[in-house]
Structure formats: structure tokens, C-alpha cells
Amino acid sequence: MSKALLVINSGSSSVKFAAYAVESDAALTRIANGRVEGIGAAPRLLAWGQEGQTLEDRRIAGSADPANGLHEAFGYLFDWLSRQVADRTLLAVGHRVVHGGEKFTRPVLVSPEILAQLDGFTPLAPLHEPHNLSAIRAIASLNPDLPQMACFDTAFHTTQDWVAQAYALPRHITGAGVKRYGFHGLSYEHIADVLPAHLGPLADGRVVVAHLGNGASLCAMRGRRSVASTMGFTALDGLMMGTRCGSLDPGVVLYLMSALGMSVQRVEELLYQQSGLLGVSGLSGDMRAVEASQTPEARQAIDLYVYRIGQAIGSAAASLGGLDALVFTAGIGENSAMIRRCVCRDARWLGIELDNDANLAAASGARCISTADSRVAAWVIPTDEELMIARHTQATLQAPAP
Ligand code: ADP
């Protein structure tokens, strides 16, 4: 019987999935992808096939309690998948797990012991880690014998030098794991994998990748390895994001708590869920909505978003001792010609000359958007975190980590 792998990216109210066929030569072909959204409220399953055609778009039964809701959503998803891929045996499930701490530097086969260790990282990624781990638990209770792999967003950055990872804090604090980890590693790893096919020898030079999605960060790469990243101890640091503030004077947090009397929970909500594009525009954390608005606040939100990226590109170039290429990826990086134009305008001093027509061209797939004589190349390269997870899952299944 032919085989399949399932990839899960579980968030607070939605679960994204992708199913891959494992071909006889071990190549992976995506056969379906989709999401269950509205978990704990009004769950809905949306799924698309290989050619992007809609396979499913329907309300599913589910309880109002998010924990039960997740369990039910996976039950429904597995039933649906078993009908869709009835001719294939499901070999394993690969999960995106945001934080692997210092210990997990590569994907791992999950056991109850490993799961307990991963629970320990929840305070470091409160918005993501609990949902990632709940998905693993829900699937384990439905299907205890199905191998599940955890693939970490932090792992790609473990190549960074000590200075790129350290905070100037006392040794006993850094010794307790308070250091910069960096995130979006599965996305950066995918880009690093495909860079040579697009950039040729430049791929191994000094490359800054801008992952601009709901979360956003930059990664400075040399030799396709991470040298520096804008996200730090948590996924809150660095660039301004959809609802997260990005870099912030730590004194602001002290002030919010001591002078304004805000609780830890209230500050967490403010910084993770009410700041960024949403907080500054007063409108939305979704770039499309902010771009479409003409209010002064929405304009300022975009100005600040672009300004922060410009500053961070300068910092990343400093870490690399120069710049050979800038790559845009993820929802905003791949789709917003306006944000790319503004970022490239501000990075002209580094030697980027944007080709306006190439930037505006309605194209999908990887493409160069700088002029032929630009000293620094600018590219758009679509990311594919799911494929990266599927590959790791396949490799870990063949040779589980000791
Ligand atoms: P996630 O981080 O959840 O995976 P995505 O990578 O899908 O998110 O990015 C979502 C962001 O991409 C949203 O802010 C959305 O508005 C933005 N986006 C998607 N398409 C466009 C577009 N055509 N123009 C501007 N922004 C876009």
C-alpha cells in the first residue's frame, strides 16, 4: 500500500494541515492541505487539493470548550483524511513546535517524556507552544500508535555565535537559558534549501531573509546558516508584527506594571495581541486591511512597520559584514509589492536597486525583483514550512534521534 505523511501546525483557534504522498522513490507530493478554523466556537473544515481546487468547505460539529473542540476537530480531520487518502497508510504526523529551548536542536520523535520536557517551554512561547503540544496530545489519544515528530522553529538558529545569542545579563540568568533563540526557523531552512536553485553562487554569500507574515522576523545567513535573527528569547522581539510589538525598551514593561498597575497577564495580552499593526493603526493586524485604509493611523502603522524593517536590515548587514542578497517571504513578503518597494527604497544605501516592473508583476513563485545592475540582489521566494516539516518527519522516521 502506498504511504502518506500528515503535517500539523496548530494555533490558538485554528489547525493548519497538509497531507503528503510518499512516492516510491521517497519523494513527497502534497495531496491536500487546509485548516480547521473556529475551534471551540463554530468549527469549519476547509481543504484544497493538489491543484488548489476546493475539496471541502463545511461547518463541523464541535463543542464550545476549546480542549474538547480540538479533540473533536482531529477526530473529524482524521476521518476526512482517511476517506481522502483511503489508498494510503498514514506513516506519521509532523508538528511545527515553536520552541525547542536549548535542548532540541533537531526534530525528535515525541514520547510522553519528551512532551513533558516541551511543556517546560510554554512560558517562553505562551501564544504558540501550548497549542502545538495540545495537538500532539489530542492525536496521541486518538491514535496512540501513530509516530509523531516535533519540528522546532528555534533549531535553525543554533548555528549562531555566542555574541548573537547572548543578552548582557548576569551569568546566572543566561545560564538558566535566558538567551536569544530566534524563530521562523522552518521557514528559513526551506529558503536556505532552495536558495542555490535561484541565486546560484550568491546563495552562500551574505543573505538577509525577511519572513513577513502575521509574525515577522529577519534572519541574517552566511553559507545558508543562521548568523543572526531579530527574534530573541520569545517571538515578541524584533520587527513590528500583526499584533505583536517587536523590540521594546524593557523599561516600558516595568512602567506598565509598576506605574500603571497592569498584571503580567494584561501586559502579555497587550504586547502579543493588541500591539503591532493592530495597535498602531487602531484598525487591524492584517496588512491587507491596513494597506486598504487611508486613515493617518494606518499610514503611520505602515511607516513604522517599514522603518523597523529598514533598521533591522542595517543591523543584519552589520552582523554579516555587508549584504549580497535580500529575500522576501511569507504572506506580506510574497504578496505586498508596496511593502517591498518601501523596504527596498530604504535599503538603497546598501546597494539595492528595485526593478519596479518586476516588483509589481502579478507573479507567483520565486522571482528576482532587483535591476540587472543592482549591487545587491532582491528576491521574492515563497516559503513552505509544511514541506520542511514533512521532510524532517520522513527523515526522523527513518533514523529517530537517539
Ligand atoms: P502566518 O504568519 O499566519 O503564516 P501569513 O504568512 O499567511 O501568516 O501572512 C499573513 C499576512 O500576509 C497578513 O497580514 C495578510 O494581510 C498579509 N497578506 C496576504 N496577502 C497579502 C496581499 N496581497 N497584500 C498585502 N498583505 C497580504
Side-chain angles (χ1 to χ4, degrees), residues 5 28 94-95 105-108 149-152 155-156 185-186 189-190 193 385-399:
L5 294 171
L28 297 172
H95 293 262
T105 58
R106 57 182 175 143
V108 65
M149 314 298 174
C151 304
F152 302 99
F156 184 70
L186 294 157
E189 196 178 0
H190 175 75
D193 271 5
E385 290 154 294
E386 287 85 10
L387 179 61
M388 210 63 240
I389 295 169
R391 289 205 179 122
H392 281 311
T393 301
Q394 189 180 29
T396 310
L397 201 57
Q398 280 154 10

mmCIF file of all heavy atoms in Angstrom, residues 5 28 94-95 105-108 149-152 155-156 185-186 189-190 193 385-399:
data_model
loop_
_atom_site.group_PDB
_atom_site.id
_atom_site.type_symbol
_atom_site.label_atom_id
_atom_site.label_comp_id
_atom_site.label_asym_id
_atom_site.label_seq_id
_atom_site.Cartn_x
_atom_site.Cartn_y
_atom_site.Cartn_z
ATOM 1 N N LEU A 5 2.131 11.123 4.755
ATOM 2 C CA LEU A 5 2.531 11.819 5.980
ATOM 3 C C LEU A 5 1.577 12.989 6.186
ATOM 4 O O LEU A 5 1.090 13.568 5.218
ATOM 5 C CB LEU A 5 3.945 12.394 5.845
ATOM 6 C CG LEU A 5 5.106 11.427 5.725
ATOM 7 C CD1 LEU A 5 6.378 12.211 5.388
ATOM 8 C CD2 LEU A 5 5.280 10.646 7.018
ATOM 9 N N LEU A 28 8.230 13.533 -1.883
ATOM 10 C CA LEU A 28 6.973 13.913 -1.232
ATOM 11 C C LEU A 28 6.135 14.766 -2.173
ATOM 12 O O LEU A 28 6.635 15.737 -2.740
ATOM 13 C CB LEU A 28 7.270 14.712 0.044
ATOM 14 C CG LEU A 28 8.033 13.960 1.132
ATOM 15 C CD1 LEU A 28 8.436 14.908 2.254
ATOM 16 C CD2 LEU A 28 7.171 12.833 1.689
ATOM 17 N N GLY A 94 3.904 15.075 11.481
ATOM 18 C CA GLY A 94 4.956 16.040 11.846
ATOM 19 C C GLY A 94 4.311 17.320 12.330
ATOM 20 O O GLY A 94 3.353 17.801 11.719
ATOM 21 N N HIS A 95 4.816 17.860 13.435
ATOM 22 C CA HIS A 95 4.230 19.082 14.007
ATOM 23 C C HIS A 95 5.223 20.223 13.996
ATOM 24 O O HIS A 95 6.415 20.027 14.268
ATOM 25 C CB HIS A 95 3.853 18.860 15.479
ATOM 26 C CG HIS A 95 2.747 17.891 15.674
ATOM 27 N ND1 HIS A 95 1.449 18.284 15.867
ATOM 28 C CD2 HIS A 95 2.740 16.538 15.694
ATOM 29 C CE1 HIS A 95 0.684 17.206 16.012
ATOM 30 N NE2 HIS A 95 1.457 16.136 15.907
ATOM 31 N N THR A 105 17.726 20.623 19.240
ATOM 32 C CA THR A 105 18.367 21.309 18.116
ATOM 33 C C THR A 105 18.049 20.619 16.795
ATOM 34 O O THR A 105 18.531 21.019 15.756
ATOM 35 C CB THR A 105 19.888 21.365 18.312
ATOM 36 O OG1 THR A 105 20.362 20.031 18.448
ATOM 37 C CG2 THR A 105 20.258 22.162 19.548
ATOM 38 N N ARG A 106 17.263 19.554 16.866
ATOM 39 C CA ARG A 106 16.766 18.927 15.645
ATOM 40 C C ARG A 106 15.447 18.207 15.935
ATOM 41 O O ARG A 106 15.082 18.025 17.107
ATOM 42 C CB ARG A 106 17.803 17.971 15.066
ATOM 43 C CG ARG A 106 18.244 16.888 16.005
ATOM 44 C CD ARG A 106 19.295 16.066 15.300
ATOM 45 N NE ARG A 106 19.879 15.067 16.147
ATOM 46 C CZ ARG A 106 20.221 13.875 15.730
ATOM 47 N NH1 ARG A 106 20.010 13.518 14.487
ATOM 48 N NH2 ARG A 106 20.776 13.018 16.558
ATOM 49 N N PRO A 107 14.734 17.811 14.862
ATOM 50 C CA PRO A 107 13.428 17.191 15.082
ATOM 51 C C PRO A 107 13.528 15.926 15.938
ATOM 52 O O PRO A 107 14.564 15.250 15.929
ATOM 53 C CB PRO A 107 12.974 16.846 13.659
ATOM 54 C CG PRO A 107 13.710 17.774 12.785
ATOM 55 C CD PRO A 107 15.049 17.966 13.429
ATOM 56 N N VAL A 108 12.458 15.628 16.636
ATOM 57 C CA VAL A 108 12.502 14.500 17.567
ATOM 58 C C VAL A 108 11.169 13.743 17.533
ATOM 59 O O VAL A 108 10.109 14.338 17.335
ATOM 60 C CB VAL A 108 12.838 15.028 18.991
ATOM 61 C CG1 VAL A 108 11.730 15.928 19.522
ATOM 62 C CG2 VAL A 108 13.115 13.922 19.971
ATOM 63 N N MET A 149 6.273 13.546 15.241
ATOM 64 C CA MET A 149 7.562 14.231 15.307
ATOM 65 C C MET A 149 7.339 15.689 15.647
ATOM 66 O O MET A 149 6.429 16.322 15.097
ATOM 67 C CB MET A 149 8.300 14.185 13.956
ATOM 68 C CG MET A 149 8.318 12.848 13.280
ATOM 69 S SD MET A 149 9.182 11.616 14.266
ATOM 70 C CE MET A 149 8.829 10.165 13.265
ATOM 71 N N ALA A 150 8.205 16.221 16.489
ATOM 72 C CA ALA A 150 8.176 17.661 16.767
ATOM 73 C C ALA A 150 9.320 18.310 15.994
ATOM 74 O O ALA A 150 10.468 17.869 16.096
ATOM 75 C CB ALA A 150 8.344 17.904 18.268
ATOM 76 N N CYS A 151 8.988 19.310 15.204
ATOM 77 C CA CYS A 151 9.998 20.040 14.417
ATOM 78 C C CYS A 151 10.009 21.479 14.928
ATOM 79 O O CYS A 151 8.954 22.112 14.977
ATOM 80 C CB CYS A 151 9.637 20.007 12.940
ATOM 81 S SG CYS A 151 9.437 18.336 12.299
ATOM 82 N N PHE A 152 11.173 21.960 15.285
ATOM 83 C CA PHE A 152 11.254 23.203 16.065
ATOM 84 C C PHE A 152 11.620 24.425 15.235
ATOM 85 O O PHE A 152 12.534 24.380 14.414
ATOM 86 C CB PHE A 152 12.267 23.032 17.198
ATOM 87 C CG PHE A 152 11.920 21.886 18.096
ATOM 88 C CD1 PHE A 152 12.544 20.658 17.943
ATOM 89 C CD2 PHE A 152 10.933 22.029 19.057
ATOM 90 C CE1 PHE A 152 12.204 19.581 18.754
ATOM 91 C CE2 PHE A 152 10.579 20.967 19.868
ATOM 92 C CZ PHE A 152 11.217 19.736 19.714
ATOM 93 N N ALA A 155 15.328 25.596 15.989
ATOM 94 C CA ALA A 155 16.502 24.747 15.713
ATOM 95 C C ALA A 155 17.463 25.353 14.682
ATOM 96 O O ALA A 155 18.686 25.243 14.832
ATOM 97 C CB ALA A 155 16.037 23.363 15.245
ATOM 98 N N PHE A 156 16.929 26.011 13.665
ATOM 99 C CA PHE A 156 17.787 26.531 12.584
ATOM 100 C C PHE A 156 18.803 27.545 13.108
ATOM 101 O O PHE A 156 19.867 27.736 12.517
ATOM 102 C CB PHE A 156 16.904 27.182 11.511
ATOM 103 C CG PHE A 156 17.662 27.674 10.310
ATOM 104 C CD1 PHE A 156 18.244 26.779 9.416
ATOM 105 C CD2 PHE A 156 17.806 29.038 10.067
ATOM 106 C CE1 PHE A 156 18.945 27.232 8.297
ATOM 107 C CE2 PHE A 156 18.487 29.498 8.948
ATOM 108 C CZ PHE A 156 19.066 28.599 8.066
ATOM 109 N N GLY A 185 12.325 29.291 12.120
ATOM 110 C CA GLY A 185 13.446 28.512 11.607
ATOM 111 C C GLY A 185 13.078 27.549 10.491
ATOM 112 O O GLY A 185 13.883 27.303 9.590
ATOM 113 N N LEU A 186 11.845 27.011 10.528
ATOM 114 C CA LEU A 186 11.454 26.058 9.480
ATOM 115 C C LEU A 186 11.275 26.784 8.157
ATOM 116 O O LEU A 186 11.617 26.255 7.097
ATOM 117 C CB LEU A 186 10.168 25.323 9.894
ATOM 118 C CG LEU A 186 10.370 24.418 11.113
ATOM 119 C CD1 LEU A 186 9.052 24.161 11.833
ATOM 120 C CD2 LEU A 186 11.033 23.105 10.709
ATOM 121 N N GLU A 189 14.848 27.616 6.969
ATOM 122 C CA GLU A 189 15.524 26.399 6.496
ATOM 123 C C GLU A 189 15.069 26.061 5.073
ATOM 124 O O GLU A 189 15.874 25.664 4.231
ATOM 125 C CB GLU A 189 15.188 25.253 7.458
ATOM 126 C CG GLU A 189 16.116 24.079 7.309
ATOM 127 C CD GLU A 189 15.772 22.983 8.310
ATOM 128 O OE1 GLU A 189 14.822 23.137 9.106
ATOM 129 O OE2 GLU A 189 16.468 21.958 8.271
ATOM 130 N N HIS A 190 13.774 26.223 4.829
ATOM 131 C CA HIS A 190 13.275 25.975 3.475
ATOM 132 C C HIS A 190 13.923 26.940 2.482
ATOM 133 O O HIS A 190 14.384 26.535 1.413
ATOM 134 C CB HIS A 190 11.749 26.108 3.420
ATOM 135 C CG HIS A 190 11.221 25.981 2.024
ATOM 136 N ND1 HIS A 190 11.138 24.775 1.382
ATOM 137 C CD2 HIS A 190 10.828 26.919 1.133
ATOM 138 C CE1 HIS A 190 10.704 24.972 0.153
ATOM 139 N NE2 HIS A 190 10.506 26.252 -0.029
ATOM 140 N N ASP A 193 17.402 26.025 1.753
ATOM 141 C CA ASP A 193 17.454 24.843 0.868
ATOM 142 C C ASP A 193 17.310 25.214 -0.609
ATOM 143 O O ASP A 193 17.958 24.635 -1.464
ATOM 144 C CB ASP A 193 16.308 23.874 1.211
ATOM 145 C CG ASP A 193 16.711 22.888 2.280
ATOM 146 O OD1 ASP A 193 17.829 23.027 2.812
ATOM 147 O OD2 ASP A 193 15.901 21.994 2.580
ATOM 148 N N GLU A 385 6.876 25.958 4.918
ATOM 149 C CA GLU A 385 7.236 25.345 6.204
ATOM 150 C C GLU A 385 6.703 23.919 6.291
ATOM 151 O O GLU A 385 7.354 23.042 6.868
ATOM 152 C CB GLU A 385 6.661 26.193 7.351
ATOM 153 C CG GLU A 385 7.361 27.523 7.506
ATOM 154 C CD GLU A 385 6.487 28.581 8.141
ATOM 155 O OE1 GLU A 385 5.483 28.988 7.515
ATOM 156 O OE2 GLU A 385 6.798 29.019 9.261
ATOM 157 N N GLU A 386 5.526 23.692 5.680
ATOM 158 C CA GLU A 386 4.914 22.357 5.765
ATOM 159 C C GLU A 386 5.799 21.303 5.090
ATOM 160 O O GLU A 386 5.989 20.210 5.621
ATOM 161 C CB GLU A 386 3.519 22.340 5.127
ATOM 162 C CG GLU A 386 2.460 23.046 5.926
ATOM 163 C CD GLU A 386 2.422 24.532 5.654
ATOM 164 O OE1 GLU A 386 3.100 24.971 4.701
ATOM 165 O OE2 GLU A 386 1.746 25.253 6.413
ATOM 166 N N LEU A 387 6.327 21.661 3.929
ATOM 167 C CA LEU A 387 7.192 20.701 3.222
ATOM 168 C C LEU A 387 8.437 20.393 4.057
ATOM 169 O O LEU A 387 8.882 19.241 4.140
ATOM 170 C CB LEU A 387 7.586 21.257 1.846
ATOM 171 C CG LEU A 387 8.511 20.362 1.026
ATOM 172 C CD1 LEU A 387 7.857 19.015 0.736
ATOM 173 C CD2 LEU A 387 8.907 21.040 -0.292
ATOM 174 N N MET A 388 8.975 21.441 4.683
ATOM 175 C CA MET A 388 10.165 21.247 5.534
ATOM 176 C C MET A 388 9.835 20.268 6.670
ATOM 177 O O MET A 388 10.623 19.357 6.978
ATOM 178 C CB MET A 388 10.531 22.620 6.119
ATOM 179 C CG MET A 388 11.966 22.831 6.404
ATOM 180 S SD MET A 388 12.967 22.765 4.934
ATOM 181 C CE MET A 388 14.002 21.418 5.364
ATOM 182 N N ILE A 389 8.676 20.451 7.279
ATOM 183 C CA ILE A 389 8.260 19.568 8.385
ATOM 184 C C ILE A 389 8.070 18.143 7.851
ATOM 185 O O ILE A 389 8.496 17.169 8.494
ATOM 186 C CB ILE A 389 6.955 20.092 9.037
ATOM 187 C CG1 ILE A 389 7.221 21.438 9.694
ATOM 188 C CG2 ILE A 389 6.409 19.091 10.060
ATOM 189 C CD1 ILE A 389 5.954 22.180 10.136
ATOM 190 N N ALA A 390 7.460 18.026 6.669
ATOM 191 C CA ALA A 390 7.238 16.686 6.095
ATOM 192 C C ALA A 390 8.586 16.001 5.851
ATOM 193 O O ALA A 390 8.750 14.811 6.148
ATOM 194 C CB ALA A 390 6.440 16.801 4.802
ATOM 195 N N ARG A 391 9.550 16.751 5.324
ATOM 196 C CA ARG A 391 10.877 16.150 5.075
ATOM 197 C C ARG A 391 11.542 15.715 6.373
ATOM 198 O O ARG A 391 12.126 14.651 6.466
ATOM 199 C CB ARG A 391 11.785 17.167 4.366
ATOM 200 C CG ARG A 391 11.361 17.411 2.942
ATOM 201 C CD ARG A 391 12.554 17.899 2.116
ATOM 202 N NE ARG A 391 12.131 18.107 0.761
ATOM 203 C CZ ARG A 391 12.222 19.267 0.100
ATOM 204 N NH1 ARG A 391 12.782 20.311 0.682
ATOM 205 N NH2 ARG A 391 11.808 19.355 -1.140
ATOM 206 N N HIS A 392 11.457 16.584 7.391
ATOM 207 C CA HIS A 392 12.049 16.222 8.694
ATOM 208 C C HIS A 392 11.356 14.987 9.272
ATOM 209 O O HIS A 392 11.988 14.124 9.871
ATOM 210 C CB HIS A 392 11.900 17.377 9.685
ATOM 211 C CG HIS A 392 12.908 18.468 9.495
ATOM 212 N ND1 HIS A 392 14.255 18.220 9.378
ATOM 213 C CD2 HIS A 392 12.784 19.807 9.418
ATOM 214 C CE1 HIS A 392 14.908 19.369 9.239
ATOM 215 N NE2 HIS A 392 14.037 20.344 9.243
ATOM 216 N N THR A 393 10.043 14.944 9.101
ATOM 217 C CA THR A 393 9.275 13.823 9.663
ATOM 218 C C THR A 393 9.712 12.527 8.994
ATOM 219 O O THR A 393 9.931 11.506 9.663
ATOM 220 C CB THR A 393 7.766 14.081 9.459
ATOM 221 O OG1 THR A 393 7.451 15.310 10.104
ATOM 222 C CG2 THR A 393 6.910 12.977 10.021
ATOM 223 N N GLN A 394 9.845 12.591 7.689
ATOM 224 C CA GLN A 394 10.276 11.414 6.930
ATOM 225 C C GLN A 394 11.678 10.971 7.381
ATOM 226 O O GLN A 394 11.917 9.793 7.634
ATOM 227 C CB GLN A 394 10.314 11.801 5.448
ATOM 228 C CG GLN A 394 10.532 10.666 4.488
ATOM 229 C CD GLN A 394 10.536 11.200 3.045
ATOM 230 O OE1 GLN A 394 10.905 12.346 2.795
ATOM 231 N NE2 GLN A 394 10.127 10.364 2.113
ATOM 232 N N ALA A 395 12.586 11.947 7.516
ATOM 233 C CA ALA A 395 13.970 11.613 7.895
ATOM 234 C C ALA A 395 14.025 11.074 9.324
ATOM 235 O O ALA A 395 14.745 10.110 9.615
ATOM 236 C CB ALA A 395 14.856 12.845 7.763
ATOM 237 N N THR A 396 13.240 11.675 10.225
ATOM 238 C CA THR A 396 13.266 11.247 11.631
ATOM 239 C C THR A 396 12.658 9.859 11.786
ATOM 240 O O THR A 396 13.091 9.063 12.627
ATOM 241 C CB THR A 396 12.516 12.272 12.515
ATOM 242 O OG1 THR A 396 13.013 13.562 12.207
ATOM 243 C CG2 THR A 396 12.716 12.003 13.993
ATOM 244 N N LEU A 397 11.688 9.571 10.935
ATOM 245 C CA LEU A 397 11.053 8.247 10.961
ATOM 246 C C LEU A 397 12.063 7.167 10.580
ATOM 247 O O LEU A 397 12.081 6.071 11.139
ATOM 248 C CB LEU A 397 9.909 8.252 9.949
ATOM 249 C CG LEU A 397 8.805 7.240 10.080
ATOM 250 C CD1 LEU A 397 8.144 7.334 11.447
ATOM 251 C CD2 LEU A 397 7.755 7.508 9.001
ATOM 252 N N GLN A 398 12.922 7.537 9.612
ATOM 253 C CA GLN A 398 13.928 6.563 9.164
ATOM 254 C C GLN A 398 15.057 6.414 10.169
ATOM 255 O O GLN A 398 15.645 5.355 10.305
ATOM 256 C CB GLN A 398 14.479 6.973 7.796
ATOM 257 C CG GLN A 398 13.530 6.577 6.675
ATOM 258 C CD GLN A 398 13.666 7.452 5.443
ATOM 259 O OE1 GLN A 398 14.596 8.245 5.341
ATOM 260 N NE2 GLN A 398 12.739 7.317 4.519
ATOM 261 N N ALA A 399 15.408 7.528 10.838
ATOM 262 C CA ALA A 399 16.536 7.490 11.780
ATOM 263 C C ALA A 399 16.203 8.336 12.979
ATOM 264 O O ALA A 399 16.667 9.466 13.104
ATOM 265 C CB ALA A 399 17.792 8.035 11.097
#
